[in-house]
Amino acid sequence: MALTRALRAERLKCRRNPVWLVFLILPLFPAFLGTMNYLNNLSLLTPGWENLWSQHTLFSSYFFLPAELAVFCAWQWRLEHTDHNWNCFLTAPLPVWSLYLAKLLLAMAVCVLAVGSILLLYLLCGLLIGLGAPPLGMLADWFLFGTLGAIATCAVQLLLSLVIRSFPIPVGIALLGGIAGMLLTARGYGLLWPYALLAVGIRANNPNLVLNRPLFLLSCAVFVGLCAALSLLFLSRRDAAAE
């Protein structure tokens, strides 16, 4: 099957690259900062899992995680942008859609890993500071919708990294996008901005925030579908002979 072969090739590339270390090391920083911020502001915060979650995700969802996902998406296209590897990519005996979909599926798996690492560190920190039984029901909800928001961010970053040859430029766009997402979310426009969907889905500003699930799912689907369509259009019109 074409997609299976494309996925196997993408996995081989990942196994030989230390990009995975980003998702093992960087989440430690927002977890530490969030826990310290929580402990230092107990006079202002109500002690509990919900407020610890707000402190953890405040740093990770707007600053660290968008950059992590952008690094991974930029790395996924880096090999193709190097030397004349577009010739090999575009002339592979596989349909273009399978080559792109393999990258998107791998990015989706990374989203699960990234959001899952946030939850795991959150649980460990909460237990270490003695918060008692964690809110498992809410955790499942935060994980599901946070992951969907992260996938929308990855779809945008895959498109940017496909079109832009430079590695750092798409990462810089993601950093600025995360900051803009924080401002737009505060004004109630988070569902209109792909870099805010992660924070909205994961309930970064307020764990008890009621999420409009139908609109959230529609927004994620629109951004993923639009970016996937534009990426496939770009690939279908790219001339291998010119690379």
Side-chain angles (χ1 to χ4, degrees):
M1 185 179 177
L3 180 57
T4 303
R5 293 170 61 190
L7 276 171
R8 188 180 300 115
E10 291 297 322
R11 287 201 308 269
L12 287 174
K13 288 164 57 178
C14 287
R15 287 171 56 187
R16 299 174 182 176
N17 195 289
V19 70
W20 293 100
L21 293 176
V22 173
F23 297 93
L24 297 176
I25 297 174
L26 277 187
L28 297 173
F29 293 100
F32 175 78
L33 292 172
T35 303
M36 291 299 101
N37 201 45
Y38 170 83
L39 293 174
N40 291 331
N41 290 280
L42 284 177
S43 59
L44 303 174
L45 299 173
T46 302
W49 285 98
E50 289 80 6
N51 278 320
L52 177 63
W53 180 252
S54 294
Q55 299 307 309
H56 270 232
T57 54
L58 177 66
F59 293 101
S60 59
S61 62
Y62 289 118
F63 303 104
F64 287 90
L65 195 50
E68 290 176 48
L69 297 175
V71 166
F72 183 78
C73 291
W75 171 80
Q76 282 188 288
W77 289 111
R78 185 174 184 178
L79 182 61
E80 280 73 34
H81 287 315
T82 304
D83 298 327
H84 297 283
N85 286 325
W86 273 110
N87 287 323
C88 297
F89 184 83
L90 295 175
T91 57
L94 296 171
V96 170
W97 66 263
S98 68
L99 298 171
Y100 170 78
L101 187 56
K103 292 182 182 292
L104 179 60
L105 288 174
L106 194 61
M108 291 169 65
V110 165
C111 289
V112 173
L113 173 65
V115 178
S117 66
I118 292 175
L119 265 69
L120 179 60
L121 290 170
Y122 163 72
L123 285 172
L124 290 175
C125 291
L127 293 173
L128 285 173
I129 62 177
L131 288 185
L136 297 180
M138 286 191 293
L139 280 176
D141 187 74
W142 298 337
F143 173 75
L144 173 61
F145 289 97
T147 300
L148 293 175
I151 290 171
T153 300
C154 276
V156 175
Q157 287 302 129
L158 280 175
L159 174 61
L160 291 175
S161 296
L162 167 63
V163 176
I164 303 172
R165 286 180 175 269
S166 171
F167 189 94
I169 290 178
V171 178
I173 292 174
L175 285 170
L176 294 176
I179 296 171
M182 181 171 58
L183 300 175
L184 290 170
T185 302
R187 288 168 173 75
Y189 300 110
L191 293 178
L192 301 178
W193 185 243
Y195 296 99
L197 291 176
L198 166 62
V200 172
I202 211 168
R203 263 50 67 85
N205 291 329
N206 184 356
N208 297 314
L209 181 67
V210 177
L211 178 66
N212 189 326
R213 288 172 172 78
L215 283 180
F216 179 85
L217 293 173
L218 176 62
S219 181
C220 290
V222 167
F223 281 114
V224 172
L226 179 61
C227 291
L230 290 174
S231 297
L232 290 173
L233 180 64
F234 182 86
L235 286 170
S236 66
R237 294 188 174 183
R238 195 175 190 114
D239 186 6
E243 296 298 334

